[in-house]
Amino acid sequence: MQTIKVFMALLLATGTLSAENAPNHLEPPPLFFANGLSSAIKVLLPGRSSELWMIGAPAFGPDYSINIVNISIGYERPVFELRYHQATKSYLLPAPPPPPPPPGAESETEQSEPESPKEVVRTVPLETSFVKPISKIWRRVIRRTRYGADQPMHMGHDGCLFIFGSGWYTGATWSPSRQIPGKLVELSDLLVELSKSTHHPDTTLQSKILGICKELAHALDTEPAPRWP
């Protein structure tokens, strides 16, 4: 993991961690995150039949996920649930181990331990009519996933990795600013807000979410399909 942080530092120094240079499409998750992503999925998306999902990995905080799950096993019609799950640590961007204390310093048992993040799980029922346009646009964006033209992964300066999934498809972006990846991150952020809302149904947030879906649909209709470099 220290290798990843050195790699990121080099990219920052050379100016390649630039949101302005980021492509207007998602990219495959970098291979050096494969083990961390596998662990994050096991913790944040355990045994779930997800319609769609997103795992967020802030540089200085625990991983979290948002996913829409079809819980209608054995029912006649789909029944969906929005699920937010915050882990107790980061699996994708774990912090390096602290250096050993200098001679004469307090032992580990005498030092005060920093408080670990709490695990948080929230669920909200969703109507099928609300889920359908989200699922449709989510898939459209993910299926445009391509490698970047000049490097394997474009990264943003604030260090937050977003990995999106639906079915067999996945795509990633690093703190985007351009329209399509940025709008998908905005959509996932609103779903997080919806999961934390005290109003059910929260029609104001739902209207914002459907508005982002329409903006993404317009962007996808007008943006040329990305080509493989």
Side-chain angles (χ1 to χ4, degrees), residues 17 21-22 84 105 116 120 129 225:
L17 288 187
N21 296 329
Y84 169 80
S116 299
V120 179
S129 58

Side-chain angles (χ1 to χ4, degrees), residues 23-209:
N24 202 14
H25 56 79
L26 300 179
E27 299 173 87
L31 290 177
F32 50 75
F33 288 116
N35 290 337
L37 178 58
S38 177
S39 298
I41 288 175
K42 288 178 182 178
V43 172
L44 297 172
L45 308 170
R48 294 283 178 167
S49 177
S50 295
E51 184 79 4
L52 56 90
W53 56 268
M54 184 280 297
I55 292 177
F60 302 103
D63 294 345
Y64 67 95
S65 69
I66 193 79
N67 66 318
I68 294 179
V69 184
N70 186 346
I71 59 173
S72 60
I73 299 174
Y75 290 85
E76 294 182 358
R77 61 185 180 85
V79 178
F80 293 102
E81 179 180 83
L82 175 66
R83 180 181 174 89
Y84 169 80
H85 191 166
Q86 177 185 290
T88 58
K89 64 179 183 179
S90 177
Y91 296 89
L92 285 158
L93 300 173
E106 293 180 340
S107 66
E108 290 187 7
T109 56
E110 295 172 338
Q111 294 178 13
S112 59
E113 291 289 335
E115 186 175 353
S116 299
K118 305 293 185 183
E119 184 176 28
V120 179
V121 178
R122 293 187 175 90
T123 59
V124 177
L126 297 177
E127 294 291 335
T128 302
S129 58
F130 177 66
V131 171
K132 281 185 175 179
I134 302 171
S135 181
K136 181 179 179 180
I137 203 68
W138 201 276
R139 288 194 178 106
R140 283 188 68 187
V141 175
I142 293 176
R143 288 181 181 182
R144 295 172 78 256
T145 296
R146 298 289 186 273
Y147 284 104
D150 58 352
Q151 60 188 49
M153 183 68 180
H154 294 263
M155 299 181 178
H157 287 295
D158 57 351
C160 189
L161 175 67
F162 300 92
I163 301 178
F164 300 88
S166 179
W168 294 101
Y169 295 89
T170 58
T173 187
W174 193 289
S175 305
S177 64
R178 295 198 63 190
Q179 187 179 25
I180 292 174
K183 283 294 180 184
L184 190 62
V185 170
E186 186 177 349
L187 175 58
S188 65
D189 286 345
L190 286 172
L191 288 172
V192 171
E193 287 187 40
L194 184 63
S195 73
K196 298 178 179 181
S197 175
T198 57
H199 304 287
H200 302 297
D202 191 323
T203 55
T204 301
L205 274 175
Q206 288 185 351
S207 295
K208 288 182 179 180
I209 288 167

Side-chain angles (χ1 to χ4, degrees), residues 1-23:
M1 184 48 60
Q2 189 64 30
T3 302
I4 294 176
K5 293 185 179 294
V6 171
F7 172 70
M8 290 165 58
L10 288 172
L11 291 179
L12 276 168
T14 57
T16 55
L17 288 187
S18 172
E20 290 75 13
N21 296 329

